[in-house]
Amino acid sequence: MTRARLVVIGNGMAGARAVEEILERGGGQRFDITMFGEEPYGNYNRILLSNVLSGVEDEAEIFLNSLAWYEENDIVLHAGMRVERIDRFAKRVHARNGTATPYDKLIIATGSQPYVPDIPGMHVRGRGFHQGVFRFRTIDDTRTMISYARDHERAVVIGGGLLGLEAARGLQGHGVKVTLVHAGSHLMNQQLDAQAGAILLRSVEKLGIEVVLNARTTAILGKDSVRGIALSDKREIPCDMVVVAAGIRANTQLAAISDLPVERGIVVDDQLRVMDEPDIYAVGECVQHRDQVYGLVAPLWEQARVLADHITGADPKAAYHGSRTATKLKVAGVDVASMGVQGPERDDDEFLVFAEPNRGVYKSVVVRENRLVGATLLGDVGKVAFLMQAFDRGLPLPEERIRLLFDLGAPPAETTVAELSDDAQVCNCNGVSKKSIVDTVKGGVRTVTGVMDATRAGKGCGSCKGLTAQIVEWAAGGEVEEDASANWYVPGIPLAKPELMAAILQQRLRSVSSVFAALAPDGMEDARSKMGLTSLLRTMWNDEYVDERDARFINDRVHANIQKDGTFSVVPQMKGGCTTPRQLRTIADVAEKYDVPLVKLTGGQRIDLLGIRKEDLPKVWADLGMPSGYAYGKSFRTVKTCVGSDFCRFGLGDSTSLGIAIETRFQGLESPAKLKLAVTGCPRNCAEAYVKDLGVVAVEGGRWEIYVGGAAGAHIRKGDLLTTVDTPAEVITLTGRFLQYYRENANWLERTYAFVPRVGIDRIRAVVVEDSDGIAGRLDTAMQQSVDAYRDPWLEGEDPATPGQFRPALPLIPVPEVPARTARSAQRNGSAS
């Protein structure tokens, strides 16, 4: 049978989801499918771009369908190719490259585009957007924002909705001071009422984000570089980058050019067919259905299912009747849920409000004729599952309306889950219903992670993971199976860390390839496992480890940190943050000799040379004549110190000498994750010891407190007090013992701030300090063996381990001209002062 030709314009979330639904209904046998996407990638989850901006997730983790997926499903994907015109009469789509692709059925999924106000200075004639102005919509937008933020100090975000708040929080994570400018009277005014918006404002300001409300931007200031924005009230806000996040509009340009019916969106009927076009469908944010345009994910999934039912013939009577929009999300770290109306609209509407501004909590519900017609939750969304179902399905409401907001003697979670209807939507991001999760469990998947992989529940913003787990447990009758792979040390070897280490020791496996051959299923190598195995084997065997360079990440192969442009950064060691005039002169001479684009002080009290080409690394090392600072590996990195007792008026102990001694002993130590330490001379904590993997604090009486499991990066956690000792020697001994215990028992990439609470500080104290298991001596010995095996990796510059170790590598993108920009910035700052 000849297959019909299906062309899909748009490879975003709606277009790709429609194709997935079509394939599930046998569409792969019915259609030859061709897709066009303007971005040169597979399909990715646009919702998670804010996580990429903030650094919570890597961009590789947000892709839903890789390029290989299209090949596996016999889909021809024209990635990075824009369609410029649809010929409805010849039934062809014309692309930018001059090709004309025929179709029998056509789906338009062009999505939405950012709304960019017409503000003077926003654009530069002939060049598009001003170089310091950004939109926040695509992966490329996110990449350029991250790159630009690294070299700039102050940003203005225009727009106080969801996207603006996420952009502000993400930029803040890159050390940028952020001002958020919003034309409305309160934040997220499309989802929240004024009182909730005011409480959200307090929460956002506590994060250090400045917010200016009722502010209309009238100009972007600065010709060659952005220097600020002007407001309608004549105020100016200084900044050196601007992000526009003022909302979205349906992307209807292609449809309008092709003479298709367009109002606010492409007008479609209940089968998602474009009006008066029996062979053309439209889906997603570009669509206008019954006068409604949707900007949330859940309606898109409902549309995709109806479209697929209709176009494949699986259900010719399928119809889309619109969506009741409800959303649950996390905005700048604050939980928010909103559905229906924000407040009472009729005299007989019931309106119940609870507000606790100091805790950042606001809850409201609107009840009309005994039905929930609106709800807003901020800061505490514990009741959101029931409220969403009551709103969407008209569930009976408790007579005591307060029970809509609080559990007053509530039944256990299983009962609440049991009461949800089968078609209750659990995952709004991916349109997963309770029935889909239950059917997956009944089909034999008995682990939470397995169900999430099979259904995609919890794979969007992640806010539904808890409810998904409850449904899996309920559907499995309490017999949920533990996902065995969750306990594997690396994904390619089906063993937990203790069993893996025992097998390695028993079989004397000293190389990564030998571990795969002996312990992996069918002896198959797994690229994702190589780095973890390399670290583990080097920890276990020290200088007996058999090095295989293909098992190392590029950073570990050349002992430098690869950068976005393909160059590397070099960080010489400066123990305790101390240096000498000679070292400073040497670093300056090397930076000039090799034309280093950026010289920067790190948070670990060292100097970072960024932009060094791979082939120059051995010469740079030789000219520096300094040991490595290990800023590139999963290893012991640095010990930060304060001035200590020699110079500081408040110093109670010589933190500088102790910090240098600790770094000297444990330098370069292999570890499951990076280790950052600090020693501070008094509880004033100038070296930030309380929030390090291991921190040492001098206290009265010449004693030292040892803290473990602290963090001050994407996660904030004060370390737990391990013990208090009398001498620096005891500090060094217990530091080594704790680090060895962590090295032997932590999961791959598990930082101490996760390891310590997982194991428990009482258990760690019992083992490390009190020797409850009688292994203190063995831990000390193992650590000593690792210390004795230390070799300065920079010596490889003189004798490369492999012929191509330092072979030239072309940068992925042009190296930025940082010095010129830095010089201008310094000149500007100097004149201002």
Side-chain angles (χ1 to χ4, degrees):
M1 181 179 67
T2 303
R3 294 190 293 187
R5 297 165 297 190
L6 172 63
V7 173
V8 182
I9 302 174
N11 187 37
M13 296 178 71
R17 184 57 173 262
V19 170
E20 290 178 2
E21 297 284 354
I22 289 169
L23 292 175
E24 286 184 9
R25 293 158 177 76
Q29 288 73 47
R30 184 182 180 94
F31 296 108
D32 286 324
I33 303 175
T34 300
M35 299 185 71
F36 288 85
E38 288 194 21
E39 296 183 71
Y41 314 108
N43 171 38
Y44 61 87
N45 189 340
R46 202 178 302 276
I47 298 169
L48 298 181
L49 284 176
S50 57
N51 287 357
V52 175
L53 177 62
S54 65
V56 173
E57 295 193 60
D58 185 85
E59 65 180 44
E61 297 172 354
I62 72 170
F63 276 86
L64 300 171
N65 297 316
S66 66
L67 294 176
W69 178 85
Y70 298 86
E71 295 183 11
E72 293 166 1
N73 288 281
D74 296 323
I75 298 170
V76 176
L77 173 64
H78 297 288
M81 184 57 61
R82 181 185 180 90
V83 172
E84 297 189 328
R85 181 171 60 90
I86 301 168
D87 187 334
R88 299 179 294 122
F89 304 102
K91 301 184 78 169
R92 280 179 162 78
V93 298
H94 294 266
R96 175 180 292 169
N97 63 355
T99 60
T101 304
Y103 67 84
D104 297 301
K105 298 289 184 181
L106 175 66
I107 299 174
I108 302 173
T110 48
S112 61
Q113 56 190 357
Y115 169 66
V116 180
D118 186 15
I119 300 173
M122 184 82 74
H123 298 85
V124 177
R125 182 176 297 177
R127 292 192 307 174
F129 280 99
H130 195 300
Q131 68 169 2
V133 176
F134 303 88
R135 296 177 296 179
F136 185 26
R137 186 63 180 165
T138 68
I139 278 185
D140 287 339
D141 293 338
T142 308
R143 288 173 177 168
T144 53
M145 285 168 63
I146 292 172
S147 176
Y148 205 79
R150 288 171 179 159
D151 301 316
H152 293 78
E153 298 174 354
R154 181 155 186 164
V156 164
V157 176
I158 300 175
L162 167 63
L163 207 58
L165 287 163
E166 290 294 278
R169 183 61 170 159
L171 288 171
Q172 191 181 42
H174 295 281
V176 178
K177 181 175 176 57
V178 182
T179 300
L180 189 146
V181 175
H182 185 45
S185 60
H186 64 272
L187 296 176
M188 290 188 68
N189 49 286
Q190 295 296 316
Q191 294 85 15
L192 305 179
D193 62 22
Q195 188 174 5
I199 292 175
L200 177 60
L201 172 64
R202 293 181 60 168
S203 298
V204 170
E205 288 179 332
K206 286 180 181 178
L207 297 173
I209 297 172
E210 181 184 0
V211 179
V212 182
L213 299 173
N214 298 304
R216 186 170 65 86
T217 305
T218 57
I220 308 295
L221 306 176
K223 183 177 180 181
D224 296 325
S225 60
V226 171
R227 64 174 180 84
I229 66 167
L231 302 179
S232 57
D233 60 5
K234 309 303 181 183
R235 282 182 296 171
E236 293 186 3
I237 299 177
C239 64
D240 48 21
M241 69 181 294
V242 174
V243 175
V244 182
I248 59 174
R249 300 289 186 271
N251 187 1
T252 60
Q253 182 179 7
L254 173 64
I257 289 173
S258 305
D259 202 26
L260 294 172
V262 171
E263 295 176 5
R264 287 190 300 140
I266 304 170
V267 183
V268 299
D269 62 18
D270 288 353
Q271 282 69 46
L272 281 307
R273 290 173 301 200
V274 177
M275 287 297 185
D276 302 321
E277 295 292 340
D279 296 320
I280 302 179
Y281 296 77
V283 65
E285 293 176 329
C286 64
V287 160
Q288 177 179 319
H289 173 264
R290 298 190 184 185
D291 295 325
Q292 293 295 314
V293 177
Y294 297 97
L296 299 174
V297 173
L300 276 56
W301 295 170
E302 295 175 31
Q303 293 175 6
R305 286 192 290 270
V306 171
L307 187 157
D309 280 340
H310 195 264
I311 202 170
T312 62
D315 182 4
K317 296 181 179 180
Y320 176 66
H321 300 297
S323 300
R324 292 171 62 85
T325 57
T327 183
K328 177 179 179 291
L329 37 86
K330 189 179 285 289
V331 184
V334 180
D335 287 312
V336 178
S338 175
M339 61 205 78
V341 300
Q342 296 177 1
E345 298 176 338
R346 300 179 183 176
D347 292 339
D348 59 347
D349 282 350
E350 300 176 58
F351 188 41
L352 184 66
V353 176
F354 172 84
E356 197 174 355
N358 287 337
R359 288 184 55 230
V361 173
Y362 175 87
K363 304 181 185 186
S364 72
V365 292
V366 183
V367 178
R368 179 179 301 158
E369 297 176 354
N370 207 35
R371 291 196 58 168
L372 184 69
V373 296
T376 301
L377 301 176
L378 180 69
D380 178 1
V381 293
K383 294 290 290 182
V384 69
F386 172 76
L387 290 174
M388 279 191 167
Q389 301 316 313
F391 171 75
D392 195 40
R393 311 298 174 189
L395 298 181
L397 304 181
E399 292 185 10
E400 296 176 271
R401 302 307 195 204
I402 191 68
R403 292 182 180 274
L404 291 170
L405 300 181
F406 300 97
D407 287 321
L408 305 177
E414 290 79 5
T415 304
T416 304
V417 167
E419 291 175 348
L420 295 179
S421 60
D422 285 346
D423 57 356
Q425 187 150 288
V426 176
C427 178
N428 291 323
C429 294
N430 289 305
V432 184
S433 67
K434 173 188 171 182
K435 184 178 186 300
S436 178
I437 294 173
V438 172
D439 289 347
T440 302
V441 174
K442 291 181 177 178
V445 182
R446 314 287 285 190
T447 67
V448 174
T449 53
V451 170
M452 290 171 61
D453 289 339
T455 65
R456 285 188 175 173
K459 295 288 188 176
C461 69
S463 63
C464 65
K465 288 182 179 179
L467 181 57
T468 300
Q470 291 177 19
I471 295 174
V472 172
E473 184 174 355
W474 172 79
E479 297 180 0
V480 178
E481 297 175 3
E482 184 178 358
D483 184 2
S485 65
N487 295 317
W488 298 351
Y489 187 63
V490 290
I493 308 292
L495 294 171
K497 187 173 186 179
E499 290 76 23
L500 175 59
M501 293 177 68
I504 289 171
L505 289 171
Q506 182 181 9
Q507 300 183 45
R508 310 289 292 174
L509 306 173
R510 292 187 174 87
S511 67
V512 171
S513 61
S514 67
V515 173
F516 283 130
L519 304 178
D522 300 321
M524 292 292 294
E525 294 195 358
D526 176 67
R528 298 169 301 166
S529 304
K530 288 186 175 182
M531 285 180 62
L533 289 176
T534 297
S535 174
L536 183 63
L537 291 174
R538 290 168 70 179
T539 297
M540 295 174 64
W541 294 112
N542 297 311
D543 51 5
E544 294 183 53
Y545 162 68
V546 177
D547 193 6
E548 294 170 325
R549 288 293 159 140
D550 68 334
R552 292 194 190 192
F553 182 56
I554 179 62
N555 287 4
D556 295 297
R557 292 201 297 271
V558 300
H559 317 303
N561 196 8
I562 193 168
Q563 303 298 300
K564 177 182 177 179
D565 61 3
T567 63
F568 293 81
S569 93
V570 166
V571 181
Q573 186 183 58
M574 289 183 176
K575 295 176 183 177
C578 298
T579 185
T580 64
R582 184 188 63 79
Q583 285 182 334
L584 290 175
R585 276 193 293 268
T586 300
I587 292 172
D589 290 343
V590 168
E592 287 187 345
K593 179 177 180 180
Y594 295 97
D595 197 22
V596 174
L598 179 63
V599 180
K600 190 178 188 305
L601 297 180
T602 73
Q605 300 176 329
R606 299 186 298 200
I607 295 177
D608 195 354
L609 307 177
L610 294 117
I612 297 175
R613 297 177 182 274
K614 181 181 175 185
E615 58 269 28
D616 288 337
L617 288 173
K619 294 176 288 186
V620 167
W621 296 343
D623 289 351
L624 283 171
M626 298 171 64
S628 169
Y630 293 92
Y632 53 83
K634 308 304 178 188
S635 62
F636 185 104
R637 291 199 170 184
T638 183
V639 181
K640 190 173 184 177
T641 71
C642 65
V643 174
S645 57
D646 285 351
F647 291 92
C648 180
R649 293 181 294 126
F650 305 100
L652 300 173
D654 188 356
S655 57
T656 304
S657 295
L658 180 53
I660 291 173
I662 292 174
E663 186 164 348
T664 300
R665 177 164 177 77
F666 302 114
Q667 58 190 344
L669 189 72
E670 198 72 32
S671 176
K674 58 187 176 184
L675 290 167
K676 296 183 178 181
L677 285 72
V679 182
T680 191
C682 76
R684 296 168 72 91
N685 194 34
C686 293
E688 302 161 355
Y690 292 119
V691 289
K692 297 297 184 182
D693 293 291
L694 186 143
V696 183
V697 181
V699 294
E700 293 287 351
R703 309 188 76 205
W704 300 89
E705 293 178 337
I706 303 175
Y707 291 83
V708 294
H715 299 270
I716 307 297
R717 183 180 192 272
K718 181 181 178 182
D720 295 326
L721 179 63
L722 179 66
T723 189
T724 303
V725 298
D726 296 322
T727 65
E730 292 174 279
V731 171
I732 292 176
T733 297
L734 291 178
T735 295
R737 196 176 298 167
F738 167 76
L739 294 180
Q740 185 63 26
Y741 184 70
Y742 164 71
R743 296 169 77 206
E744 293 181 4
N745 293 279
N747 297 320
W748 173 237
L749 301 182
E750 182 181 28
R751 291 291 298 272
T752 61
Y753 60 71
F755 171 77
V756 170
R758 175 171 69 83
V759 177
I761 187 61
D762 292 337
R763 169 64 179 162
I764 294 172
R765 185 183 297 116
V767 174
V768 173
V769 180
E770 300 163 6
D771 195 17
S772 61
D773 292 10
I775 63 171
R778 184 189 63 75
L779 293 174
D780 294 344
T781 299
M783 176 55 70
Q784 186 61 51
Q785 290 173 344
S786 294
V787 169
D788 292 341
Y790 169 74
R791 300 289 183 274
D792 184 351
W794 286 26
L795 295 177
E796 290 186 8
E798 300 175 7
D799 185 18
T802 62
Q805 185 177 6
F806 301 106
R807 183 181 296 126
L810 293 176
L812 304 178
I813 62 174
V815 179
E817 296 183 4
V818 179
R821 181 166 60 247
T822 304
R824 287 197 299 270
S825 299
Q827 186 178 23
R828 185 168 62 250
N829 292 339
S831 60
S833 61

